[in-house]
Amino acid sequence: MKEKYTFDEIVTHLKSSGFVYQGSEIYGGLSNSWDFGVLGSWLKKNIKDLWWKEFIEKSPYNVGIDSAIIINPKAWEASGHLAGFSDAMVDCKECKGRFRADNMIQDATGLSAEGKTPEEMDQMIEENNIKCPVCGKHNFTKARPFNLMFKTFIGTLEDSKSTVYLRPETCQGIFINFNNVLRTSRKKVPFGIGQIGKSFRNEITPGNFIFRTGEFEQMELEFFCKPGTDLDWYKYWVDYCFNFVKKLEINEENLRVREHDKKELAFYSKGTSDIEYAFPFTDWGEVWGIADRTDYDLKQHSEYSGKDLNYLDPETNERYIPYCVEPSVGVERLFLMICCDAYERQQLDENDERIVMHLHPALAPIKACVCPLSKKLSEPATELFNELSKEFYCEYDESGSIGKRYRRNDAIGTPFCITYDFDSENDNCVTVRDRDSMEQSRIPISELKDYIKARLIF
Ligand SMILES: [Zn+2]
């Protein structure tokens, strides 16, 4: 059983080793903004590549697209984001602090204000005599909705006619391309359209490092099926996503699937499940949401665009708006879950400790580190590095003792360290040291690529 570590310890490690940097650090940072570093950019890329492989390439049903971030604002009217995608905010009239009303109520009283109207929240704030979390006074404006979409302008005129929004989710770009994909892909229902891309939400209460940020990347699949088959497909995708998470080698005791009860569901949804992870900062945090969205989205876009988004079944000649099942996950959430789960501080003996990131080799930023035992061996070792680099991302390290080089690589999750020593010239073998077991094996150089590639399979 793995030891649990504090969130602070894990975050400190991710920042100090090059996974995540504070955004705009030299300017004092920017609220809620993070940059992915030398190793973090690799981990993110590897996560996205695996998702694309499992959800698009390997699936017989799905295709991918890459739609624009800024789309016609009418699409946000149709999706309900212009009218309803908001949090109720209150301002403190004394100190000018601004707070999300539901969070302030929850923190002060433990009462949930989820789904309450702004008027009901005002009443709760009055009845419980809630004080400002900053200045401690009780003098608030009325609660009012604050839209979470980032607003900007297209063209040179900054007026309401040129107002556009940064997308708060990638899926609407999929729905509005439904007919285009049908026309150009030869897919028939059931089929899915996936995409990976940035989304933006002007979150008022961000937090927990990269768990909730204003700018993030989503990997979404919209899976279209015949009405009546939707609940079967919903179960299919819940299992598919859960298996994906398990294949990432996440400890199962830290995972659960939570089905939303009826009153939690959006009015158009027939079922929603979250895959949750036991993050160190909370009991359970949502990682992946899988929702049966019925025909809501295509119907809305059909109505607002005036375009027919019915599907004509070529076998039965039936016309219908397909139902849609949506598995939606944030790259940063998976990233954080993977890192929390992989992190371990191991006491090897009384004076020796190591930090090791048990990343699945397919996720590891660096697959192998080539370490010549002595600088005198740098020429053949560099040759070996060049050869391996054609296949996967490697590093070359000849500084410090071998033990130190192993520790550096353990801490960033490199699964293999390859030592080129004085015998290598004669026996054409190298020593491969395994990150997790720390075991060393003598492997012929001619078999090395295949040896490593076999362990990178997801
Ligand atoms: Zn105040």
Side-chain angles (χ1 to χ4, degrees), residues 174-189:
I174 293 177
F175 294 125
I176 64 177
N177 277 294
F178 178 74
N179 277 351
N180 285 335
V181 172
L182 266 184
R183 180 171 56 81
T184 52
S185 73
R186 302 176 52 79
K187 285 285 171 197
K188 294 189 181 86
V189 168

Side-chain angles (χ1 to χ4, degrees), residues 16 100 107 114 127 139 151 159 163 216 328 390-391 449 457:
S16 63
R100 239 178 86 170
D107 291 346
E114 223 183 285
E127 278 169 6
N139 185 11
K151 206 188 264 187
D159 62 21
T163 301
F216 59 104
S328 169
K390 292 176 188 165
E391 301 284 335
K449 264 186 201 172
I457 292 169

Side-chain angles (χ1 to χ4, degrees), residues 217-429:
E217 254 180 306
Q218 287 186 304
M219 305 189 287
E220 292 196 295
L221 176 73
E222 306 305 315
F223 189 81
F224 302 100
C225 60
K226 196 174 173 178
T229 64
D230 48 309
L231 283 176
D232 291 333
W233 284 112
Y234 164 66
K235 286 190 193 85
Y236 173 92
W237 288 110
V238 171
D239 290 345
Y240 198 94
C241 296
F242 195 62
N243 282 332
F244 181 86
V245 173
K246 284 196 288 191
K247 273 172 77 180
L248 296 170
E249 295 178 353
I250 304 301
N251 287 292
E252 273 194 61
E253 71 258 33
N254 295 332
L255 287 172
R256 73 172 186 186
V257 178
R258 189 180 70 83
E259 181 132 32
H260 290 207
D261 56 39
K262 285 271 177 299
K263 62 177 191 294
E264 262 183 291
L265 292 178
F267 69 89
Y268 50 77
S269 177
K270 272 170 78 180
T272 300
S273 290
D274 291 339
I275 298 173
E276 298 182 328
Y277 180 77
F279 286 99
F281 56 84
T282 181
D283 286 346
W284 292 100
E286 181 193 337
V287 173
W288 210 318
I290 302 98
D292 180 343
R293 298 176 63 92
T294 65
D295 56 3
Y296 176 73
D297 306 277
L298 287 180
K299 262 194 175 154
Q300 289 290 106
H301 286 299
S302 197
E303 189 190 322
Y304 278 75
S305 68
K307 298 287 185 300
D308 183 7
L309 299 179
N310 270 287
Y311 174 74
L312 176 65
D313 191 308
E315 269 136 48
T316 64
N317 271 333
E318 278 176 277
R319 289 182 83 80
Y320 57 84
I321 298 245
Y323 271 32
C324 180
V325 176
E326 174 195 79
S328 169
V329 65
V331 178
E332 291 81 358
R333 290 272 171 101
L334 282 183
F335 184 110
L336 190 59
M337 172 188 74
I338 287 163
C339 290
C340 288
D341 214 71
Y343 182 89
E344 186 180 16
R345 184 162 30 83
Q346 256 180 359
Q347 200 69 40
L348 298 174
D349 62 48
E350 232 176 291
N351 309 309
D352 197 10
E353 190 181 76
R354 70 164 183 162
I355 287 172
V356 52
M357 296 274 281
H358 298 283
L359 297 170
H360 187 297
L363 290 171
I366 298 164
K367 307 305 184 195
C369 184
V370 177
C371 309
L373 191 65
S374 147
K375 285 184 184 169
K376 288 181 191 137
L377 296 164
S378 67
E379 202 180 303
T382 304
E383 221 169 275
L384 178 62
F385 165 79
N386 289 338
E387 203 44 51
L388 294 178
S389 292
K390 292 176 188 165
E391 301 284 335
F392 31 77
Y393 186 57
C394 299
E395 224 165 52
Y396 179 85
D397 188 357
E398 58 175 29
S399 64
S401 72
I402 276 288
K404 280 210 176 107
R405 285 181 256 172
Y406 287 166
R407 291 289 179 277
R408 273 204 291 272
N409 280 286
D410 291 343
I412 58 174
T414 309
F416 306 105
C417 283
I418 297 156
T419 307
Y420 194 98
D421 57 29
F422 290 101
D423 289 334
S424 300
E425 298 273 71
N426 306 316
D427 67 359
N428 287 314
C429 289

